[in-house]
Amino acid sequence: MAAKEKTLNDLFLHTLKDVYYAEKQILKALPRMAKNADSEELKQAFETHREETEGQIERLEKVFEMLGKPARGVQCEAINGIIEEGKEVMEDFADSEALDAGILAAAQAVEHYEITRYGSLKTWAGELGLNDAVKLLDQNLEEEKKTDKLLTQLAEARVNTKAA
């Protein structure tokens, strides 16, 4: 007997679980990043994004609810690797002028990952006729883009200059 063919709906649910897991891991990592950052502006950016991440998790839980599925993540090796790389940077550059530049770059790697995930999920939700989910996922996507833009501004205006 052949296995059931996977559908876009299956892919949507899997990716939703993936990003849910990722957001939970990011929520755990942000306080450490804020603690290790030297720049007050970078610390504040991480603290603000932690609050946003809590809201993003709540919106994801609403999407699970719309689907009639439990809010449950699946292990995401990509985000685990990105977070681990950030930890290594914090350890290897702990006493360096380049620490904030390294932490910021690691944070942007996280943001870029999230932006790709939310962009795909939003598009798929539209294809699947999940219009209420589109709105929630778009909110998360826009917050991630805003955070990425802020981190770029911090890098270009202060953090990278200090590290040079």
Side-chain angles (χ1 to χ4, degrees):
M1 182 182 243
K4 180 181 168 241
E5 185 176 322
K6 298 279 187 173
T7 66
L8 182 59
N9 198 50
D10 296 322
L11 183 59
F12 178 81
L13 181 59
H14 178 80
T15 306
L16 186 66
K17 290 177 179 182
D18 177 282
V19 79
Y20 185 72
Y21 173 89
E23 291 291 10
K24 293 279 201 163
Q25 297 308 304
I26 293 159
L27 192 62
K28 291 179 193 173
L30 281 166
R32 182 174 181 196
M33 294 170 79
K35 181 181 175 211
N36 282 282
D38 187 45
S39 158
E40 284 305 315
E41 290 168 298
L42 189 54
K43 284 180 188 286
Q44 185 58 53
F46 291 144
E47 289 165 10
T48 298
H49 195 55
R50 185 177 193 287
E51 293 169 17
E52 288 176 343
T53 301
E54 289 171 345
Q56 291 166 357
I57 289 169
E58 288 174 15
R59 286 190 285 276
L60 290 173
E61 289 169 348
K62 288 178 184 174
V63 175
F64 278 109
E65 199 174 299
M66 289 173 193
L67 299 172
K69 302 287 183 183
R72 193 174 300 132
V74 293
Q75 179 103 346
C76 173
E77 292 305 324
I79 204 65
N80 288 343
I82 292 169
I83 290 172
E84 187 57 36
E85 187 176 283
K87 287 178 186 174
E88 289 172 13
V89 166
M90 286 187 278
E91 290 167 8
D92 293 348
F93 291 85
D95 298 318
S96 168
E97 289 289 319
L99 176 62
D100 280 358
I103 293 173
L104 195 148
Q108 281 196 288
V110 168
E111 294 310 307
H112 293 183
Y113 176 79
E114 291 174 305
I115 288 167
T116 63
R117 286 300 190 216
Y118 284 123
S120 296
L121 283 168
K122 177 185 165 188
T123 300
W124 296 339
E127 290 292 323
L128 295 167
L130 302 170
N131 296 329
D132 289 338
V134 169
K135 292 173 191 164
L136 294 170
L137 295 166
D138 187 56
Q139 280 183 272
N140 286 10
L141 177 61
E142 291 307 312
E143 284 180 356
E144 300 301 358
K145 288 179 178 178
K146 183 182 78 172
T147 298
D148 182 53
K149 185 176 181 181
L150 172 65
L151 292 173
T152 295
Q153 290 168 345
L154 284 174
E156 292 172 348
R158 290 169 199 78
V159 174
N160 290 346
T161 306
K162 181 184 172 198

mmCIF file of all heavy atoms in Angstrom, residues 74-93:
data_model
loop_
_atom_site.group_PDB
_atom_site.id
_atom_site.type_symbol
_atom_site.label_atom_id
_atom_site.label_comp_id
_atom_site.label_asym_id
_atom_site.label_seq_id
_atom_site.Cartn_x
_atom_site.Cartn_y
_atom_site.Cartn_z
ATOM 1 N N VAL A 74 8.236 21.187 16.317
ATOM 2 C CA VAL A 74 9.099 20.083 15.901
ATOM 3 C C VAL A 74 10.523 20.603 15.912
ATOM 4 O O VAL A 74 10.772 21.768 15.593
ATOM 5 C CB VAL A 74 8.751 19.516 14.496
ATOM 6 C CG1 VAL A 74 7.398 18.847 14.485
ATOM 7 C CG2 VAL A 74 8.850 20.561 13.420
ATOM 8 N N GLN A 75 11.430 19.744 16.322
ATOM 9 C CA GLN A 75 12.840 20.106 16.394
ATOM 10 C C GLN A 75 13.286 20.739 15.085
ATOM 11 O O GLN A 75 13.021 20.208 14.010
ATOM 12 C CB GLN A 75 13.672 18.851 16.667
ATOM 13 C CG GLN A 75 15.141 19.099 16.737
ATOM 14 C CD GLN A 75 15.670 19.123 18.148
ATOM 15 O OE1 GLN A 75 14.915 19.206 19.102
ATOM 16 N NE2 GLN A 75 16.953 19.055 18.285
ATOM 17 N N CYS A 76 13.936 21.878 15.193
ATOM 18 C CA CYS A 76 14.409 22.602 14.020
ATOM 19 C C CYS A 76 15.926 22.731 14.103
ATOM 20 O O CYS A 76 16.449 23.533 14.868
ATOM 21 C CB CYS A 76 13.753 23.983 13.957
ATOM 22 S SG CYS A 76 14.427 25.029 12.668
ATOM 23 N N GLU A 77 16.619 21.898 13.337
ATOM 24 C CA GLU A 77 18.082 21.902 13.369
ATOM 25 C C GLU A 77 18.658 23.223 12.870
ATOM 26 O O GLU A 77 19.722 23.649 13.318
ATOM 27 C CB GLU A 77 18.635 20.732 12.558
ATOM 28 C CG GLU A 77 18.340 19.374 13.183
ATOM 29 C CD GLU A 77 18.809 19.240 14.622
ATOM 30 O OE1 GLU A 77 19.864 19.793 14.993
ATOM 31 O OE2 GLU A 77 18.109 18.572 15.405
ATOM 32 N N ALA A 78 17.945 23.878 11.954
ATOM 33 C CA ALA A 78 18.438 25.157 11.431
ATOM 34 C C ALA A 78 18.544 26.194 12.548
ATOM 35 O O ALA A 78 19.594 26.820 12.724
ATOM 36 C CB ALA A 78 17.530 25.655 10.308
ATOM 37 N N ILE A 79 17.479 26.385 13.315
ATOM 38 C CA ILE A 79 17.519 27.399 14.370
ATOM 39 C C ILE A 79 18.452 26.963 15.489
ATOM 40 O O ILE A 79 19.146 27.794 16.083
ATOM 41 C CB ILE A 79 16.108 27.766 14.889
ATOM 42 C CG1 ILE A 79 16.125 29.173 15.505
ATOM 43 C CG2 ILE A 79 15.592 26.779 15.884
ATOM 44 C CD1 ILE A 79 16.400 30.285 14.547
ATOM 45 N N ASN A 80 18.505 25.662 15.773
ATOM 46 C CA ASN A 80 19.456 25.184 16.785
ATOM 47 C C ASN A 80 20.880 25.547 16.387
ATOM 48 O O ASN A 80 21.676 25.993 17.215
ATOM 49 C CB ASN A 80 19.331 23.670 16.979
ATOM 50 C CG ASN A 80 18.061 23.279 17.701
ATOM 51 O OD1 ASN A 80 17.406 24.094 18.343
ATOM 52 N ND2 ASN A 80 17.708 22.013 17.595
ATOM 53 N N GLY A 81 21.203 25.369 15.111
ATOM 54 C CA GLY A 81 22.545 25.693 14.616
ATOM 55 C C GLY A 81 22.836 27.179 14.679
ATOM 56 O O GLY A 81 23.936 27.592 15.080
ATOM 57 N N ILE A 82 21.874 27.997 14.299
ATOM 58 C CA ILE A 82 22.068 29.450 14.321
ATOM 59 C C ILE A 82 22.269 29.934 15.760
ATOM 60 O O ILE A 82 23.148 30.750 16.035
ATOM 61 C CB ILE A 82 20.876 30.169 13.649
ATOM 62 C CG1 ILE A 82 20.854 29.876 12.143
ATOM 63 C CG2 ILE A 82 20.944 31.672 13.886
ATOM 64 C CD1 ILE A 82 19.575 30.309 11.436
ATOM 65 N N ILE A 83 21.465 29.417 16.676
ATOM 66 C CA ILE A 83 21.590 29.814 18.085
ATOM 67 C C ILE A 83 22.919 29.328 18.660
ATOM 68 O O ILE A 83 23.602 30.055 19.384
ATOM 69 C CB ILE A 83 20.382 29.323 18.909
ATOM 70 C CG1 ILE A 83 19.129 30.116 18.503
ATOM 71 C CG2 ILE A 83 20.655 29.437 20.409
ATOM 72 C CD1 ILE A 83 17.833 29.596 19.098
ATOM 73 N N GLU A 84 23.317 28.111 18.326
ATOM 74 C CA GLU A 84 24.597 27.581 18.806
ATOM 75 C C GLU A 84 25.765 28.433 18.292
ATOM 76 O O GLU A 84 26.708 28.723 19.025
ATOM 77 C CB GLU A 84 24.768 26.121 18.370
ATOM 78 C CG GLU A 84 25.982 25.446 18.952
ATOM 79 C CD GLU A 84 26.036 25.449 20.484
ATOM 80 O OE1 GLU A 84 24.991 25.321 21.145
ATOM 81 O OE2 GLU A 84 27.152 25.611 21.017
ATOM 82 N N GLU A 85 25.677 28.831 17.040
ATOM 83 C CA GLU A 85 26.714 29.690 16.465
ATOM 84 C C GLU A 85 26.789 31.013 17.237
ATOM 85 O O GLU A 85 27.876 31.524 17.512
ATOM 86 C CB GLU A 85 26.391 29.945 14.995
ATOM 87 C CG GLU A 85 27.467 30.680 14.245
ATOM 88 C CD GLU A 85 27.107 30.793 12.771
ATOM 89 O OE1 GLU A 85 27.254 29.791 12.048
ATOM 90 O OE2 GLU A 85 26.660 31.875 12.354
ATOM 91 N N GLY A 86 25.633 31.568 17.606
ATOM 92 C CA GLY A 86 25.604 32.796 18.395
ATOM 93 C C GLY A 86 26.256 32.607 19.756
ATOM 94 O O GLY A 86 26.990 33.482 20.232
ATOM 95 N N LYS A 87 26.012 31.462 20.386
ATOM 96 C CA LYS A 87 26.644 31.166 21.679
ATOM 97 C C LYS A 87 28.161 31.110 21.536
ATOM 98 O O LYS A 87 28.900 31.616 22.390
ATOM 99 C CB LYS A 87 26.134 29.833 22.234
ATOM 100 C CG LYS A 87 24.724 29.872 22.756
ATOM 101 C CD LYS A 87 24.307 28.477 23.240
ATOM 102 C CE LYS A 87 22.854 28.431 23.642
ATOM 103 N NZ LYS A 87 22.418 27.061 23.978
ATOM 104 N N GLU A 88 28.621 30.473 20.466
ATOM 105 C CA GLU A 88 30.063 30.376 20.226
ATOM 106 C C GLU A 88 30.685 31.757 20.049
ATOM 107 O O GLU A 88 31.765 32.028 20.586
ATOM 108 C CB GLU A 88 30.346 29.505 19.003
ATOM 109 C CG GLU A 88 30.079 28.035 19.229
ATOM 110 C CD GLU A 88 30.186 27.199 17.965
ATOM 111 O OE1 GLU A 88 30.703 27.696 16.944
ATOM 112 O OE2 GLU A 88 29.735 26.034 18.002
ATOM 113 N N VAL A 89 30.012 32.633 19.335
ATOM 114 C CA VAL A 89 30.506 33.999 19.144
ATOM 115 C C VAL A 89 30.597 34.707 20.492
ATOM 116 O O VAL A 89 31.598 35.365 20.785
ATOM 117 C CB VAL A 89 29.603 34.791 18.162
ATOM 118 C CG1 VAL A 89 29.901 36.282 18.209
ATOM 119 C CG2 VAL A 89 29.762 34.268 16.745
ATOM 120 N N MET A 90 29.561 34.550 21.332
ATOM 121 C CA MET A 90 29.582 35.201 22.646
ATOM 122 C C MET A 90 30.729 34.689 23.510
ATOM 123 O O MET A 90 31.322 35.452 24.266
ATOM 124 C CB MET A 90 28.241 35.020 23.354
ATOM 125 C CG MET A 90 27.142 35.887 22.765
ATOM 126 S SD MET A 90 25.598 35.861 23.694
ATOM 127 C CE MET A 90 24.844 34.355 23.102
ATOM 128 N N GLU A 91 31.047 33.404 23.381
ATOM 129 C CA GLU A 91 32.155 32.842 24.156
ATOM 130 C C GLU A 91 33.504 33.253 23.577
ATOM 131 O O GLU A 91 34.396 33.703 24.299
ATOM 132 C CB GLU A 91 32.051 31.312 24.189
ATOM 133 C CG GLU A 91 30.887 30.813 25.015
ATOM 134 C CD GLU A 91 30.584 29.329 24.812
ATOM 135 O OE1 GLU A 91 31.372 28.631 24.141
ATOM 136 O OE2 GLU A 91 29.539 28.873 25.318
ATOM 137 N N ASP A 92 33.659 33.121 22.262
ATOM 138 C CA ASP A 92 34.940 33.392 21.610
ATOM 139 C C ASP A 92 35.322 34.870 21.616
ATOM 140 O O ASP A 92 36.502 35.200 21.569
ATOM 141 C CB ASP A 92 34.935 32.888 20.160
ATOM 142 C CG ASP A 92 34.856 31.375 20.061
ATOM 143 O OD1 ASP A 92 35.033 30.688 21.097
ATOM 144 O OD2 ASP A 92 34.612 30.868 18.953
ATOM 145 N N PHE A 93 34.347 35.765 21.657
ATOM 146 C CA PHE A 93 34.609 37.202 21.573
ATOM 147 C C PHE A 93 34.190 37.938 22.842
ATOM 148 O O PHE A 93 33.985 39.154 22.821
ATOM 149 C CB PHE A 93 33.903 37.795 20.342
ATOM 150 C CG PHE A 93 34.506 37.350 19.046
ATOM 151 C CD1 PHE A 93 34.124 36.154 18.471
ATOM 152 C CD2 PHE A 93 35.495 38.102 18.427
ATOM 153 C CE1 PHE A 93 34.688 35.711 17.283
ATOM 154 C CE2 PHE A 93 36.072 37.680 17.236
ATOM 155 C CZ PHE A 93 35.671 36.477 16.666
#
